[in-house]
Amino acid sequence: KITSAPKSKKTKLAVTFKDGTRIQRPYAYETMLAAIEKIGAEKVAALDINWLGLPLVSKQKDDYYNQHELSGEWLVVTHSATNTKRQQLERISKKLNLGLKIEIID
């Protein structure tokens, strides 16, 4: 019998924008998607951030990794740990000078 590694404890993300908008969804990936949607998928795609050899945000469908769709046929690679999502959002915030506050919530 093959057993997989124990999954880490579920954590959530919360993203607060300078305008006071706070995004917090039941799952970290949903929060990340909503934040990217608010920032603008096109703007984030232009940053050319890669994850797992794929653009983090693109219109390129991958058969292997989980991608979630945003409006405008944009796809986001969400196959990562919550902490990685936080780091990716921090990088986006820094590059676009958004001043986001990104927290991991247990």
Side-chain angles (χ1 to χ4, degrees):
K1 187 179 175 231
I2 299 170
T3 56
S4 56
K7 279 206 142 192
S8 50
K9 197 162 82 49
K10 288 278 174 243
T11 51
K12 295 177 188 169
L13 275 179
V15 179
T16 308
F17 287 77
K18 274 187 192 165
D19 68 5
T21 305
R22 183 179 167 90
I23 298 172
Q24 186 183 335
R25 303 279 186 274
Y27 297 101
Y29 82 90
E30 294 172 332
T31 302
M32 182 178 187
L33 293 174
I36 290 173
E37 186 97 61
K38 180 169 166 58
I39 295 161
E42 209 163 318
K43 273 196 233 168
V44 178
L47 297 175
D48 211 18
I49 296 171
N50 284 301
W51 178 246
L52 303 169
L54 295 169
L56 182 65
V57 179
S58 72
K59 293 194 175 187
Q60 171 193 331
K61 181 83 181 113
D62 185 75
D63 295 330
Y64 189 75
Y65 290 110
N66 270 344
Q67 288 171 300
H68 284 88
E69 215 169 301
L70 295 179
S71 55
E73 293 175 26
W74 289 100
L75 296 165
V76 182
V77 181
T78 55
H79 189 95
S80 63
T82 301
N83 193 45
T84 302
K85 290 178 181 69
R86 180 177 58 84
Q87 290 166 344
Q88 289 166 334
L89 286 167
E90 283 172 349
R91 198 165 155 206
I92 291 164
S93 176
K94 207 167 277 165
K95 285 186 163 200
L96 293 174
N97 198 20
L98 300 172
L100 299 179
K101 182 178 176 219
I102 302 143
E103 307 157 89
I104 289 182
I105 297 157
D106 292 329

